[in-house]
């Protein structure tokens, strides 16, 4: 039996003991995870420094603060999330208990990516724990130092049987994928996502796919360009452009292109100094394979700012490309690096058309003072999420679902969305073995009169929220009286 198979079997056995059914048990595990994050900041930061040259203060800001916030929310809200959720009833079920009961799915496989290796691996894990599942955690082998920290230290804090960490590369991931899971939560690229879905289909396992894509950023000329460009500079060059929700490219009118370039250039200097290579807040490309991939995208486009690079250090300077052609190499795939192409369009109409001719992105960015234009862009395009007049920060709002649509992914998470995604929302109806007279209308022989009653009782929705208790009682009395009169002998 392989190591991967053993880990999954052990997790399933632990799940079947039923210990995750207890909300207190889940809360203890979540608190242990929080303690891990707080006590192991040093090891977490050291791993990320080696993997991606992340800075001492950048690590908590971009990786662990979000984890802390998600844990705090799950701990404080878990009782509400896990409680039965009463639903609106029809007249036929008015005296029954009708509700949704979230229940754990079983064993979840969490496969993480390398760019924010803690955030994208641990945040789904928080949802899995909160929902009462076991979870096999597979960190990305590309961020190898972080994977090692996870493998060595997480088991010191979490239930080792329920939440094993399995490290390794493609071979190990594929061995895991041969096992049966109750949900696979994958973060990464679309090509591998297809392999994941194919493997999941063999066991009819549901999947969540958190992917990327080319998130467009339209800058309206009716806009405070200084503020817009500062926010875009931050959104684009954080983590050296290796952010799934980074603005991939800019769309703007030709009349503002020079000003946009000038403003972004100014902000690059403000954020990362004249020499970003020596600035501790400017990261590195994860490895030489990705360095070569990003550099090859420059072919055929005009560099307006940046372009300096050093392969031995995986360094690519913050770069802006001007007057980029829609069919240029840099416009073929998600960039996932510090290149910012600007494509000029005649205005919002052409920008919307441009977006709609391409795959649905993870985010649609729009910068404008004009609320009507923002609403129009939202109404006439489709994307995983929308952010107007800022970058990245929607990721930090736990009450918003985070996820893609179409090619940018399927299924969303964060906060209660993670809990619901990794739960089975079980529909429950509990009747009493009384009032059998009411049911006569559904038993043969079927007649037109019985059908009439069925129509009335089934189609009439009762919203308990808007009814006073007395009105409800009166309705019930009338209903029961009528039914008894009609159908009792
Ligand atoms: P990656 O190379 O780390 O791959 C992700 C996982 O897939 C790893 O755990 C790896 O072991 C596994 N894997 C790789 N090849 C495999 C194969 N052939 N068979 C089975 N498993 C395999 O990460 P990546 O894909 O380079 O990540 C970057 C992508 O992730 C970008 O497209 C980015 O936009 C996206 N992303 C999305 C989000 C999001 O939340 N939507 C977050 C981060 C990254």
């Amino acid at each position: 039996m392989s190591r991967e198979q053993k880990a999954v079997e052990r997790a399933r056995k632990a799940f079947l003991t039923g210990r995750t059914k207890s909300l207190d048990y889940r809360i203890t595990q979540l608190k242990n995870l929080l303690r891990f994050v707080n006590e192991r900041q040093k090891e977490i930061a050291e791993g990320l420094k080696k993997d991606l040259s992340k800075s001492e203060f950048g690590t908590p800001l971009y990786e662990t603060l979000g984890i802390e916030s998600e844990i705090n929310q799950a701990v404080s809200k878990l009782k509400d999330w896990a409680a039965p959720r009463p639903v609106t009833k029809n007249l036929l079920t008015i005296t029954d208990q009708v509700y949704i009961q979230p229940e754990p799915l079983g064993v979840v496989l969490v496969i993480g990516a390398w760019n924010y290796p803690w955030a994208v691996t641990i945040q789904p894990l928080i949802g899995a724990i909160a929902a009462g599942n076991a979870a096999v955690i597979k960190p990305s082998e590309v961020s190898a130092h972080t994977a090692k920290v996870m493998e060595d230290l997480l088991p010191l804090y979490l239930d080792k049987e329920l939440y094993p960490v399995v490290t390794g590369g493609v071979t190990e991931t594929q061995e895991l994928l041969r096992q049966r899971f109750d949900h696979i939560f994958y973060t990464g690229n679309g090509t591998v996502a297809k392999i994941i879905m194919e493997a999941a289909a063999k066991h009819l396992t549901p999947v969540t796919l958190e992917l990327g894509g080319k998130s467009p950023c339209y800058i309206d000329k009716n806009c405070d360009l200084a503020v817009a460009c500062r926010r875009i500079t931050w959104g684009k060059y954080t983590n050296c452009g290796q952010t799934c929700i980074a603005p991939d490219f800019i769309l703007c009118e030709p009349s503002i292109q020079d000003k946009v370039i000038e403003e972004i250039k100014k902000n690059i200097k403000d954020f990362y100094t004249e020499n970003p290579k020596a600035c501790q807040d400017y990261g590195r490309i994860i490895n030489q394979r990705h360095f070569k991939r990003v550099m090859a995208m420059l072919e055929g486009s005009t560099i307006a700012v940046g372009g300096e690079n050093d392969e031995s250090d995986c360094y690519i300077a913050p770069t802006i490309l001007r007057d980029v052609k829609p069919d240029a190499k840099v416009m073929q795939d998600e960039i996932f690096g510090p290149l910012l192409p600007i494509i000029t369009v005649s205005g919002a109409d052409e920008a919307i058309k441009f977006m709609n001719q391409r795959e649905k992105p993870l985010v649609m960015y729009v910068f404008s003072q004009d609320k009507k234009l923002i609403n129009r862009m939202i109404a006439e395009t489709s994307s995983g999420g929308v952010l107007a007049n800022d970058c990245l920060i929607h990721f930090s709002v736990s009450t918003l679902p985070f996820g893609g649509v179409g090619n940018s992914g399927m299924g969303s998470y964060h906060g209660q969305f993670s809990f619901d995604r990794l739960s089975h929302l079980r529909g429950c109806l509990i009747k009493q073995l009384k009032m059998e007279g009411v049911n006569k209308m559904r038993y043969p022989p079927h007649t037109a009169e019985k059908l009439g009653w069925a129509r009335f009782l089934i189609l009439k929705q009762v919203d308990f929220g808007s009814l006073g208790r007395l009105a409800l009682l009166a309705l019930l009395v009338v209903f029961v009286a009528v039914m008894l009169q009609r159908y009792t002998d």
Side-chain angles (χ1 to χ4, degrees):
M1 194 188 282
S2 67
R3 184 178 65 117
E4 292 74 22
Q5 202 175 351
K6 270 191 207 148
V8 182
E9 278 207 0
R10 226 179 297 130
R12 187 165 298 283
K13 214 167 136 201
F15 175 75
L16 291 174
T17 64
R19 61 183 183 264
T20 64
K21 293 256 171 171
S22 150
L23 298 190
D24 287 340
Y25 191 81
R26 301 181 203 174
I27 286 173
T28 305
Q29 294 299 315
L30 289 169
K31 286 185 174 167
N32 288 347
L33 190 55
L34 186 61
R35 199 161 52 78
F36 160 77
V37 170
N38 290 326
E39 289 178 5
R40 300 297 183 159
Q41 281 290 325
K42 190 168 150 277
E43 288 90 340
I44 292 172
E46 279 169 3
L48 285 171
K49 182 87 197 152
K50 288 181 194 152
D51 286 328
L52 283 143
S53 201
K54 292 200 186 192
S55 73
E56 184 191 348
F57 300 114
T59 289
L61 189 61
Y62 298 110
E63 292 269 10
T64 54
L65 259 179
I67 293 175
E68 287 179 53
S69 147
E70 287 273 312
I71 296 178
N72 287 341
Q73 208 202 7
V75 167
S76 67
K77 294 277 167 70
L78 186 58
K79 286 207 166 74
D80 292 342
W81 294 348
R85 304 174 192 176
V87 295
T88 306
K89 305 185 220 181
N90 56 28
L91 273 181
L92 192 64
T93 49
I94 196 167
T95 57
D96 304 332
Q97 272 179 276
V98 189
Y99 60 94
I100 297 164
Q101 179 61 61
E103 62 170 21
L105 289 172
V107 186
V108 174
L109 172 61
V110 177
I111 304 179
W114 52 265
N115 58 333
Y116 292 88
W118 287 99
V120 304
T121 314
I122 301 301
Q123 292 205 10
L125 175 67
I126 294 166
I129 297 175
N133 298 296
V136 176
I137 307 151
K138 163 62 186 65
S140 171
E141 69 280 15
V142 180
S143 42
H145 297 95
T146 296
K148 181 88 177 87
V149 177
M150 248 182 238
E151 182 183 31
D152 290 348
L153 300 183
L154 265 189
L156 305 180
Y157 291 81
L158 292 180
D159 185 322
K160 286 191 271 295
E161 292 172 337
L162 278 169
Y163 316 112
V165 180
V166 176
T167 52
V170 175
T171 315
E172 289 77 8
T173 315
Q174 292 193 341
E175 175 61 11
L176 276 175
L177 288 173
R178 274 188 280 278
Q179 314 308 313
R180 181 177 180 157
F181 289 95
D182 300 289
H183 193 101
I184 300 177
F185 196 111
Y186 168 80
T187 301
N189 68 74
T191 309
V192 174
K194 289 174 190 159
I195 299 174
I196 306 284
M197 252 186 125
E198 213 177 308
K202 296 217 168 74
H203 298 290
L204 282 181
T205 299
V207 293
T208 299
L209 304 175
E210 298 292 337
L211 314 178
K214 291 184 85 64
S215 294
C217 176
Y218 178 64
I219 311 179
D220 180 24
K221 62 174 184 289
N222 176 10
C223 178
D224 182 335
L225 282 184
V227 173
C229 290
R230 188 174 316 125
R231 295 178 187 181
I232 292 169
T233 308
W234 174 69
K236 179 71 189 188
Y237 300 111
T238 289
N239 200 25
C240 208
Q242 300 163 115
T243 306
C244 57
I245 45 176
D248 190 90
F249 60 91
I250 287 175
L251 295 171
C252 68
E253 290 183 33
S255 60
I256 61 169
Q257 179 174 221
D258 286 342
K259 180 85 173 132
V260 166
I261 293 172
E262 187 193 313
E263 287 292 337
I264 296 180
K265 185 179 175 187
K266 189 161 89 55
N267 285 301
I268 290 172
K269 196 176 140 214
D270 286 353
F271 292 173
Y272 305 116
T273 75
E274 289 278 13
N275 181 15
K277 197 175 180 191
C279 174
Q280 62 161 351
D281 284 320
Y282 190 68
R284 292 294 182 271
I285 299 294
I286 182 77
N287 57 30
Q288 300 204 329
R289 181 171 71 82
H290 280 280
F291 174 91
K292 288 195 176 84
R293 180 187 60 76
V294 176
M295 287 305 294
M297 285 185 165
L298 285 170
E299 193 190 305
S301 291
T302 309
I303 295 174
V305 174
E308 301 83 9
N309 60 87
D310 176 354
E311 184 170 346
S312 67
D313 190 23
C314 287
Y315 169 75
I316 302 176
T319 299
I320 308 173
L321 307 173
R322 63 172 306 140
D323 294 308
V324 172
K325 302 270 171 300
D327 60 353
K329 210 160 170 207
V330 73
M331 291 304 294
Q332 303 307 308
D333 290 309
E334 178 182 7
I335 299 170
F336 224 54
L339 315 182
L340 182 55
I342 302 179
I343 292 154
T344 58
V345 288
S346 56
D349 284 346
E350 199 184 334
I352 291 171
K353 201 167 149 210
F354 192 96
M355 292 177 195
N356 289 340
Q357 280 167 342
R358 286 160 176 79
E359 296 290 357
K360 293 181 181 180
L362 194 51
V363 204
M364 191 272 290
Y365 288 110
V366 48
F367 284 80
S368 177
Q369 319 264 40
D370 180 355
K371 273 195 182 153
K372 272 202 192 130
L373 175 82
I374 293 173
N375 288 337
R376 189 180 155 214
M377 301 281 299
I378 296 173
E380 295 183 21
T381 63
S382 177
S383 60
V386 170
L387 186 44
N389 294 327
D390 207 347
C391 286
L392 314 186
I393 48 108
H394 62 302
F395 187 87
S396 68
V397 184
S398 302
T399 43
L400 279 178
F402 179 82
V405 57
N407 258 45
S408 53
M410 63 179 73
S412 55
Y413 75 128
H414 286 185
Q416 189 176 354
F417 298 100
S418 305
F419 178 90
D420 284 359
R421 186 79 191 156
L422 297 173
S423 294
H424 169 53
L425 300 182
R426 193 179 195 186
C428 301
L429 189 151
I430 301 176
K431 243 185 204 310
Q432 295 191 355
L433 284 164
K434 293 178 188 162
M435 291 182 61
E436 184 61 355
V438 179
N439 294 330
K440 282 192 178 171
M441 60 158 186
R442 63 169 135 122
Y443 300 140
H446 301 303
T447 65
E449 193 194 358
K450 284 181 175 179
L451 179 63
W453 271 104
R455 283 188 72 79
F456 174 69
L457 294 170
I458 290 171
L459 299 182
K460 196 82 197 149
Q461 296 287 315
V462 186
D463 180 359
F464 290 96
S466 63
L467 283 173
R469 272 171 188 273
L470 271 179
L472 183 64
L473 199 67
L475 191 71
L476 247 167
V477 169
V478 172
F479 166 68
V480 173
V482 169
M483 295 314 286
L484 287 178
Q485 193 191 7
R486 279 270 152 198
Y487 293 110
T488 45
D489 298 320

